[in-house]
Each structure stands twice: as C-alpha cells, then as structure tokens.
Amino acid sequence: MSPLLKIVLLLLSAYSPPRSSGDNGGESFFETCPPTKCSKRGPTIRYPLRLNTQPSFCGREGSELSCSANGSTLFHLPFSGSYLVDSINYYSRRISLEVQDGNCPLQSLLSMNRTDSILEYLSTNLLVVNCTRGGGAIDGMAGPIDCLQNDKDWVYVTDASATMDKLPSNCSISGNGAILFDGGDLVAGVERILRTRKIFMYWRFDEGCNECERKGNYCGINTSTNGTICMNPRHPSK
Ligand SMILES: *[C@@H]1O[C@H](CO)[C@@H](O)[C@H](O)[C@H]1NC(C)=O
Ligand SMILES: *[C@@H]1O[C@H](CO)[C@@H](O)[C@H](O)[C@H]1NC(C)=O
Ligand SMILES: *[C@@H]1O[C@H](CO)[C@@H](O)[C@H](O)[C@H]1NC(C)=O
Ligand SMILES: *[C@@H]1O[C@H](CO)[C@@H](O)[C@H](O)[C@H]1NC(C)=O
Ligand SMILES: *[C@@H]1O[C@H](CO)[C@@H](O)[C@H](O)[C@H]1NC(C)=O
Ligand SMILES: *[C@@H]1O[C@H](CO)[C@@H](O)[C@H](O)[C@H]1NC(C)=O
C-alpha cells in the first residue's frame, strides 16, 4: 500500500461517524423512525406522528398518516376515515386538514369523531340553527351556510354559550356539535373554514416535547423507558 493511500485511509477512518451501540434508545429511535415525507413539498412526518409504514412505536397512539398514490399526505382518524393534510406545525402541535371538494367543510367537521386519535378533545360547543328562508346575515351567527341548507330552510351556526334570547323568532335549533379553534371568535372561525376548507386540529400537550421543539429540536421517545428524548436535527449524532 502506498504511503499516500495509507494517509487517506487513516483520515477516512478518523472522520467516520461514531457507530451506534444499539442500546442507546435515543439514537436507535431516530434511526428506526427517521423524519419522512410523502413528497418533496409535503409536510415532514415525525414523532409524535408516524407514517403507517413505520413501526407503531414511532408515533403516539392514533397518530397514523399515510401517503396517497399522488404523493399527498393523509391523516387517519380511527372512526372518521382519512383527511388530506395541508400542513403540520410540531411546536404548535397543529395539523391543518383540508376538506376535499364535494364535501361540506362544516358537515365534515361536525361529523368528525376524534376518539382514539392523538387529537385533543378540547372544543367549543356550537348550535346548528335552522331559519325560514330570506333573512340573510344574522348578528352573532355564521351563515347562511349554503352547503348545510335544504329547500325550506337557511342554516346558521352559533356559539352554544352565547345567549339564546337573540335567536330570531323564525329560527329554531336543529342540532349541535363541537368544533376546535385556536381561540378567537367562533363565527369568524366558521367563516374561515367555509372559505379556506381548512380545519386546524391540535394534538395533546407533552411537557418534554414542548421544551424540545421550542428550541427547534426534534422530539422522540426512548423506546426502553418511554421517556422523552430530544435530537438536534443539525447534529443528529449529538
Ligand atoms: C434510554 O434509556 C436507557 C435506559 O435508561 C439509557 O441507558 C439510555 O441512555 C437512554 N437513551 C437516551 C438517548 O436518553
Ligand atoms: C391526491 O389523492 C388524494 C387521495 O386520493 C385526493 O384526495 C387528492 O385530491 C389528490 N390530489 C391531487 C392534487 O390530485
Ligand atoms: C366515536 O366513535 C366511537 C366508536 O365507534 C363511539 O363510541 C363514540 O360514541 C363516537 N363519538 C361520537 C361523538 O360520535
Ligand atoms: C329545520 O327545521 C324544520 C322544522 O323543524 C325541519 O323540518 C328541517 O328538516 C330542519 N332543517 C334542517 C337543515 O335541519
Ligand atoms: C323571519 O321572518 C321575517 C318575517 O316573515 C322575515 O322578514 C325575516 O327575513 C325572517 N328571518 C329569517 C332569518 O329568515
Ligand atoms: C411504553 O409504552 C408502550 C405503549 O404505551 C407500552 O406498551 C410499554 O409497556 C411502555 N414501556 C415502558 C417501559 O413503560
């Protein structure tokens, strides 16, 4: 072997990254459950969410995403089917779901069942109000909502905690539901959903992950202890 080749080999071995011992729960977690995407432009999928092709311990319970054939990302609710994912913010714990064309965004939201999913149950109760045709906008109510009405009535929704003495005489309550908002006014929120067809949902708070994500790092779990671990994505071996 030439002395030059020897030096090159020496340098190469000196720069080779440290090998994982295999019993380090942190390193093996990010090796087994690496952040992934359905397409270049799609949102990053990582703990506490996971792709359906990854082992179940890669995400918290009810956090399963999948990739459709065209590269879009889908979020799977155990009792409500799949929703198209628009964006994911890991620090805010927010997933933005897009209601597909042809479906009424509000109907989709009212019938969404979050049982056994990672999504938070916190919500604002709303009332579905049914009025005779012709009124137009009503103060304190969102609507009239085209995709919820029938031939006879115009349909509005309002905050269930709002005083009901304001309900016009030709209106009646025809249903109720729960909706999750990032704070703010319910009427404005419903109008935003109708306009954008996008719904913001949040997953449950985790102190350890919050600390980690706040610093721009990636949260994960030590699979041998279930404790939170934190990885700097710019220095994955640290
Ligand atoms: C995971 O837990 C094991 C057992 O307590 C510990 O030896 C290991 O250092 C932990 N790994 C990380 C990255 O915290
Ligand atoms: C991609 O596929 C999903 C699921 O089948 C569908 O809902 C979505 O509309 C498609 N997107 C495009 C851009 O074709
Ligand atoms: C959601 O689905 C579960 C399982 O079928 C059911 O027990 C629960 O009552 C449903 N919740 C709502 C709000 O419909
Ligand atoms: C509105 O109320 C009327 C009378 O109770 C009922 O027949 C109708 O089905 C209701 N419409 C909706 C959209 O709930
Ligand atoms: C309620 O009835 C009155 C009188 O018929 C009508 O002028 C008004 O537009 C109705 N309001 C709604 C919300 O339908
Ligand atoms: C970690 O969590 C999983 C799923 O909840 C559970 O089955 C397992 O027993 C837990 N392991 C430890 C060491 O707590």
Side-chain angles (χ1 to χ4, degrees), residues 115-150:
T115 297
D116 288 353
S117 85
I118 196 175
L119 299 176
E120 205 160 27
Y121 286 81
L122 257 180
S123 56
T124 304
N125 292 322
L126 56 78
L127 293 175
V128 179
V129 176
N130 186 349
C131 306
T132 55
R133 288 182 157 256
I138 300 176
D139 217 28
M141 295 197 206
I145 300 164
D146 288 340
C147 61
L148 287 181
Q149 28 228 39
N150 58 27

mmCIF file of all heavy atoms in Angstrom, residues 115-150:
data_model
loop_
_atom_site.group_PDB
_atom_site.id
_atom_site.type_symbol
_atom_site.label_atom_id
_atom_site.label_comp_id
_atom_site.label_asym_id
_atom_site.label_seq_id
_atom_site.Cartn_x
_atom_site.Cartn_y
_atom_site.Cartn_z
ATOM 1 N N THR A 115 -62.249 10.136 18.614
ATOM 2 C CA THR A 115 -61.972 9.031 19.539
ATOM 3 C C THR A 115 -60.759 8.218 19.089
ATOM 4 O O THR A 115 -60.626 7.898 17.914
ATOM 5 C CB THR A 115 -63.216 8.117 19.646
ATOM 6 O OG1 THR A 115 -64.278 8.884 20.189
ATOM 7 C CG2 THR A 115 -62.969 6.909 20.537
ATOM 8 N N ASP A 116 -59.897 7.899 20.052
ATOM 9 C CA ASP A 116 -58.691 7.092 19.819
ATOM 10 C C ASP A 116 -57.694 7.727 18.862
ATOM 11 O O ASP A 116 -56.804 7.047 18.344
ATOM 12 C CB ASP A 116 -59.040 5.678 19.302
ATOM 13 C CG ASP A 116 -59.658 4.820 20.395
ATOM 14 O OD1 ASP A 116 -59.681 5.293 21.553
ATOM 15 O OD2 ASP A 116 -60.115 3.715 20.103
ATOM 16 N N SER A 117 -57.810 9.012 18.631
ATOM 17 C CA SER A 117 -56.783 9.679 17.832
ATOM 18 C C SER A 117 -55.954 10.530 18.781
ATOM 19 O O SER A 117 -56.344 10.778 19.923
ATOM 20 C CB SER A 117 -57.413 10.545 16.744
ATOM 21 O OG SER A 117 -57.745 11.814 17.255
ATOM 22 N N ILE A 118 -54.829 11.001 18.287
ATOM 23 C CA ILE A 118 -53.933 11.825 19.091
ATOM 24 C C ILE A 118 -54.518 13.220 19.304
ATOM 25 O O ILE A 118 -54.053 13.977 20.140
ATOM 26 C CB ILE A 118 -52.552 11.898 18.387
ATOM 27 C CG1 ILE A 118 -51.477 12.400 19.339
ATOM 28 C CG2 ILE A 118 -52.622 12.751 17.128
ATOM 29 C CD1 ILE A 118 -50.077 12.376 18.748
ATOM 30 N N LEU A 119 -55.570 13.550 18.557
ATOM 31 C CA LEU A 119 -56.117 14.902 18.599
ATOM 32 C C LEU A 119 -56.787 15.223 19.923
ATOM 33 O O LEU A 119 -57.394 14.374 20.561
ATOM 34 C CB LEU A 119 -57.113 15.119 17.452
ATOM 35 C CG LEU A 119 -56.554 14.965 16.038
ATOM 36 C CD1 LEU A 119 -57.661 15.105 15.009
ATOM 37 C CD2 LEU A 119 -55.443 15.974 15.780
ATOM 38 N N GLU A 120 -56.661 16.471 20.287
ATOM 39 C CA GLU A 120 -57.213 16.976 21.524
ATOM 40 C C GLU A 120 -58.738 17.014 21.467
ATOM 41 O O GLU A 120 -59.308 17.253 20.410
ATOM 42 C CB GLU A 120 -56.676 18.399 21.704
ATOM 43 C CG GLU A 120 -56.625 18.870 23.103
ATOM 44 C CD GLU A 120 -55.664 20.038 23.246
ATOM 45 O OE1 GLU A 120 -55.450 20.759 22.262
ATOM 46 O OE2 GLU A 120 -55.160 20.225 24.345
ATOM 47 N N TYR A 121 -59.365 16.814 22.615
ATOM 48 C CA TYR A 121 -60.836 16.815 22.654
ATOM 49 C C TYR A 121 -61.422 18.169 22.988
ATOM 50 O O TYR A 121 -62.606 18.380 22.851
ATOM 51 C CB TYR A 121 -61.331 15.783 23.669
ATOM 52 C CG TYR A 121 -61.167 14.395 23.135
ATOM 53 C CD1 TYR A 121 -59.930 13.768 23.193
ATOM 54 C CD2 TYR A 121 -62.226 13.733 22.532
ATOM 55 C CE1 TYR A 121 -59.756 12.509 22.669
ATOM 56 C CE2 TYR A 121 -62.057 12.467 22.011
ATOM 57 C CZ TYR A 121 -60.829 11.860 22.082
ATOM 58 O OH TYR A 121 -60.656 10.615 21.555
ATOM 59 N N LEU A 122 -60.546 19.069 23.471
ATOM 60 C CA LEU A 122 -60.973 20.422 23.799
ATOM 61 C C LEU A 122 -61.765 21.018 22.654
ATOM 62 O O LEU A 122 -61.349 20.955 21.516
ATOM 63 C CB LEU A 122 -59.723 21.289 23.939
ATOM 64 C CG LEU A 122 -59.243 21.654 25.330
ATOM 65 C CD1 LEU A 122 -58.005 22.502 25.216
ATOM 66 C CD2 LEU A 122 -60.338 22.330 26.104
ATOM 67 N N SER A 123 -62.886 21.590 22.955
ATOM 68 C CA SER A 123 -63.640 22.157 21.852
ATOM 69 C C SER A 123 -64.653 23.184 22.319
ATOM 70 O O SER A 123 -64.925 23.313 23.497
ATOM 71 C CB SER A 123 -64.348 21.055 21.076
ATOM 72 O OG SER A 123 -65.157 20.324 21.959
ATOM 73 N N THR A 124 -65.201 23.895 21.389
ATOM 74 C CA THR A 124 -66.255 24.857 21.644
ATOM 75 C C THR A 124 -67.548 24.214 21.149
ATOM 76 O O THR A 124 -67.579 23.653 20.064
ATOM 77 C CB THR A 124 -65.999 26.142 20.824
ATOM 78 O OG1 THR A 124 -64.716 26.619 21.160
ATOM 79 C CG2 THR A 124 -67.042 27.194 21.106
ATOM 80 N N ASN A 125 -68.582 24.286 21.960
ATOM 81 C CA ASN A 125 -69.849 23.723 21.513
ATOM 82 C C ASN A 125 -70.568 24.713 20.623
ATOM 83 O O ASN A 125 -70.591 25.901 20.909
ATOM 84 C CB ASN A 125 -70.724 23.359 22.716
ATOM 85 C CG ASN A 125 -70.118 22.208 23.488
ATOM 86 O OD1 ASN A 125 -69.566 21.281 22.903
ATOM 87 N ND2 ASN A 125 -70.185 22.284 24.806
ATOM 88 N N LEU A 126 -71.138 24.193 19.576
ATOM 89 C CA LEU A 126 -71.900 25.084 18.716
ATOM 90 C C LEU A 126 -73.292 24.527 18.465
ATOM 91 O O LEU A 126 -73.557 23.339 18.664
ATOM 92 C CB LEU A 126 -71.152 25.356 17.412
ATOM 93 C CG LEU A 126 -70.709 24.222 16.507
ATOM 94 C CD1 LEU A 126 -71.882 23.706 15.703
ATOM 95 C CD2 LEU A 126 -69.647 24.733 15.551
ATOM 96 N N LEU A 127 -74.155 25.428 18.073
ATOM 97 C CA LEU A 127 -75.532 25.052 17.762
ATOM 98 C C LEU A 127 -75.763 25.263 16.275
ATOM 99 O O LEU A 127 -75.265 26.221 15.691
ATOM 100 C CB LEU A 127 -76.515 25.939 18.534
ATOM 101 C CG LEU A 127 -76.543 25.774 20.051
ATOM 102 C CD1 LEU A 127 -77.481 26.820 20.652
ATOM 103 C CD2 LEU A 127 -77.004 24.359 20.424
ATOM 104 N N VAL A 128 -76.503 24.341 15.696
ATOM 105 C CA VAL A 128 -76.912 24.500 14.307
ATOM 106 C C VAL A 128 -78.326 25.075 14.364
ATOM 107 O O VAL A 128 -79.198 24.542 15.051
ATOM 108 C CB VAL A 128 -76.891 23.144 13.570
ATOM 109 C CG1 VAL A 128 -77.333 23.319 12.120
ATOM 110 C CG2 VAL A 128 -75.502 22.518 13.633
ATOM 111 N N VAL A 129 -78.505 26.199 13.715
ATOM 112 C CA VAL A 129 -79.784 26.909 13.779
ATOM 113 C C VAL A 129 -80.432 26.919 12.396
ATOM 114 O O VAL A 129 -79.775 27.155 11.391
ATOM 115 C CB VAL A 129 -79.566 28.344 14.299
ATOM 116 C CG1 VAL A 129 -80.862 29.130 14.284
ATOM 117 C CG2 VAL A 129 -78.972 28.313 15.698
ATOM 118 N N ASN A 130 -81.692 26.694 12.412
ATOM 119 C CA ASN A 130 -82.483 26.459 11.228
ATOM 120 C C ASN A 130 -83.515 27.583 11.118
ATOM 121 O O ASN A 130 -84.320 27.757 12.010
ATOM 122 C CB ASN A 130 -83.131 25.107 11.548
ATOM 123 C CG ASN A 130 -83.900 24.528 10.449
ATOM 124 O OD1 ASN A 130 -84.149 25.194 9.466
ATOM 125 N ND2 ASN A 130 -84.293 23.279 10.623
ATOM 126 N N CYS A 131 -83.439 28.392 10.074
ATOM 127 C CA CYS A 131 -84.339 29.538 9.953
ATOM 128 C C CYS A 131 -85.120 29.467 8.648
ATOM 129 O O CYS A 131 -84.637 28.915 7.664
ATOM 130 C CB CYS A 131 -83.548 30.844 9.949
ATOM 131 S SG CYS A 131 -82.433 31.045 11.357
ATOM 132 N N THR A 132 -86.293 30.102 8.641
ATOM 133 C CA THR A 132 -87.040 30.174 7.386
ATOM 134 C C THR A 132 -86.232 31.033 6.410
ATOM 135 O O THR A 132 -85.464 31.892 6.828
ATOM 136 C CB THR A 132 -88.440 30.792 7.586
ATOM 137 O OG1 THR A 132 -88.262 32.058 8.212
ATOM 138 C CG2 THR A 132 -89.322 29.908 8.461
ATOM 139 N N ARG A 133 -86.402 30.793 5.146
ATOM 140 C CA ARG A 133 -85.602 31.478 4.133
ATOM 141 C C ARG A 133 -85.798 32.975 4.133
ATOM 142 O O ARG A 133 -86.860 33.461 4.482
ATOM 143 C CB ARG A 133 -85.973 30.937 2.745
ATOM 144 C CG ARG A 133 -85.447 29.558 2.553
ATOM 145 C CD ARG A 133 -85.756 29.032 1.162
ATOM 146 N NE ARG A 133 -84.786 27.987 0.881
ATOM 147 C CZ ARG A 133 -83.748 28.148 0.091
ATOM 148 N NH1 ARG A 133 -83.553 29.269 -0.529
ATOM 149 N NH2 ARG A 133 -82.902 27.171 -0.071
ATOM 150 N N GLY A 134 -84.755 33.698 3.721
ATOM 151 C CA GLY A 134 -84.924 35.116 3.417
ATOM 152 C C GLY A 134 -84.219 36.109 4.311
ATOM 153 O O GLY A 134 -84.173 37.291 4.004
ATOM 154 N N GLY A 135 -83.669 35.636 5.413
ATOM 155 C CA GLY A 135 -83.102 36.578 6.372
ATOM 156 C C GLY A 135 -81.760 37.175 6.019
ATOM 157 O O GLY A 135 -81.488 38.321 6.316
ATOM 158 N N GLY A 136 -80.915 36.425 5.367
ATOM 159 C CA GLY A 136 -79.551 36.902 5.136
ATOM 160 C C GLY A 136 -78.707 36.763 6.392
ATOM 161 O O GLY A 136 -78.964 35.897 7.219
ATOM 162 N N ALA A 137 -77.716 37.648 6.543
ATOM 163 C CA ALA A 137 -76.807 37.562 7.693
ATOM 164 C C ALA A 137 -77.546 37.846 8.992
ATOM 165 O O ALA A 137 -78.445 38.684 9.044
ATOM 166 C CB ALA A 137 -75.665 38.536 7.513
ATOM 167 N N ILE A 138 -77.192 37.110 10.047
ATOM 168 C CA ILE A 138 -77.777 37.345 11.365
ATOM 169 C C ILE A 138 -76.624 37.595 12.326
ATOM 170 O O ILE A 138 -75.639 36.846 12.329
ATOM 171 C CB ILE A 138 -78.612 36.132 11.850
ATOM 172 C CG1 ILE A 138 -79.762 35.844 10.871
ATOM 173 C CG2 ILE A 138 -79.161 36.395 13.254
ATOM 174 C CD1 ILE A 138 -80.576 34.599 11.226
ATOM 175 N N ASP A 139 -76.766 38.647 13.120
ATOM 176 C CA ASP A 139 -75.730 39.016 14.065
ATOM 177 C C ASP A 139 -75.375 37.860 15.004
ATOM 178 O O ASP A 139 -76.279 37.206 15.530
ATOM 179 C CB ASP A 139 -76.235 40.219 14.891
ATOM 180 C CG ASP A 139 -75.113 41.187 15.187
ATOM 181 O OD1 ASP A 139 -74.164 41.244 14.370
ATOM 182 O OD2 ASP A 139 -75.175 41.865 16.228
ATOM 183 N N GLY A 140 -74.090 37.584 15.184
ATOM 184 C CA GLY A 140 -73.656 36.548 16.114
ATOM 185 C C GLY A 140 -73.756 35.136 15.574
ATOM 186 O O GLY A 140 -73.499 34.176 16.301
ATOM 187 N N MET A 141 -74.150 35.006 14.315
ATOM 188 C CA MET A 141 -74.231 33.668 13.723
ATOM 189 C C MET A 141 -73.432 33.625 12.423
ATOM 190 O O MET A 141 -73.379 34.617 11.697
ATOM 191 C CB MET A 141 -75.681 33.297 13.404
ATOM 192 C CG MET A 141 -76.552 33.177 14.627
ATOM 193 S SD MET A 141 -78.037 32.269 14.171
ATOM 194 C CE MET A 141 -79.165 32.895 15.391
ATOM 195 N N ALA A 142 -72.847 32.457 12.153
ATOM 196 C CA ALA A 142 -72.148 32.286 10.881
ATOM 197 C C ALA A 142 -73.130 31.718 9.883
ATOM 198 O O ALA A 142 -73.853 30.771 10.180
ATOM 199 C CB ALA A 142 -70.970 31.342 11.063
ATOM 200 N N GLY A 143 -73.179 32.304 8.714
ATOM 201 C CA GLY A 143 -74.093 31.806 7.699
ATOM 202 C C GLY A 143 -74.822 32.923 6.994
ATOM 203 O O GLY A 143 -74.501 34.091 7.219
ATOM 204 N N PRO A 144 -75.836 32.627 6.151
ATOM 205 C CA PRO A 144 -76.328 31.272 5.901
ATOM 206 C C PRO A 144 -75.283 30.392 5.203
ATOM 207 O O PRO A 144 -74.535 30.867 4.372
ATOM 208 C CB PRO A 144 -77.554 31.506 5.010
ATOM 209 C CG PRO A 144 -77.361 32.842 4.400
ATOM 210 C CD PRO A 144 -76.542 33.637 5.360
ATOM 211 N N ILE A 145 -75.259 29.115 5.620
ATOM 212 C CA ILE A 145 -74.256 28.187 5.120
ATOM 213 C C ILE A 145 -74.865 27.334 4.002
ATOM 214 O O ILE A 145 -75.644 26.415 4.255
ATOM 215 C CB ILE A 145 -73.736 27.316 6.291
ATOM 216 C CG1 ILE A 145 -73.105 28.231 7.355
ATOM 217 C CG2 ILE A 145 -72.725 26.283 5.781
ATOM 218 C CD1 ILE A 145 -72.911 27.585 8.696
ATOM 219 N N ASP A 146 -74.504 27.690 2.781
ATOM 220 C CA ASP A 146 -75.077 27.047 1.593
ATOM 221 C C ASP A 146 -75.080 25.526 1.660
ATOM 222 O O ASP A 146 -76.080 24.883 1.376
ATOM 223 C CB ASP A 146 -74.289 27.453 0.337
ATOM 224 C CG ASP A 146 -74.560 28.899 -0.044
ATOM 225 O OD1 ASP A 146 -75.603 29.430 0.410
ATOM 226 O OD2 ASP A 146 -73.733 29.488 -0.763
ATOM 227 N N CYS A 147 -73.916 24.958 2.041
ATOM 228 C CA CYS A 147 -73.794 23.502 1.934
ATOM 229 C C CYS A 147 -74.545 22.746 3.029
ATOM 230 O O CYS A 147 -74.594 21.524 3.015
ATOM 231 C CB CYS A 147 -72.326 23.095 1.886
ATOM 232 S SG CYS A 147 -71.360 23.556 3.326
ATOM 233 N N LEU A 148 -75.166 23.463 3.986
ATOM 234 C CA LEU A 148 -75.954 22.769 5.017
ATOM 235 C C LEU A 148 -77.454 22.947 4.808
ATOM 236 O O LEU A 148 -78.259 22.330 5.475
ATOM 237 C CB LEU A 148 -75.591 23.275 6.421
ATOM 238 C CG LEU A 148 -74.249 22.870 7.047
ATOM 239 C CD1 LEU A 148 -74.133 23.471 8.447
ATOM 240 C CD2 LEU A 148 -74.096 21.350 7.123
ATOM 241 N N GLN A 149 -77.862 23.832 3.888
ATOM 242 C CA GLN A 149 -79.299 24.092 3.804
ATOM 243 C C GLN A 149 -80.079 23.107 2.949
ATOM 244 O O GLN A 149 -79.520 22.353 2.159
ATOM 245 C CB GLN A 149 -79.646 25.516 3.363
ATOM 246 C CG GLN A 149 -78.678 26.225 2.518
ATOM 247 C CD GLN A 149 -78.447 27.619 3.097
ATOM 248 O OE1 GLN A 149 -78.385 27.775 4.308
ATOM 249 N NE2 GLN A 149 -78.342 28.609 2.254
ATOM 250 N N ASN A 150 -81.366 23.162 3.131
ATOM 251 C CA ASN A 150 -82.266 22.366 2.296
ATOM 252 C C ASN A 150 -83.187 23.327 1.555
ATOM 253 O O ASN A 150 -82.984 24.543 1.611
ATOM 254 C CB ASN A 150 -83.047 21.375 3.165
ATOM 255 C CG ASN A 150 -83.839 22.071 4.255
ATOM 256 O OD1 ASN A 150 -84.234 23.222 4.122
ATOM 257 N ND2 ASN A 150 -84.067 21.373 5.351
#
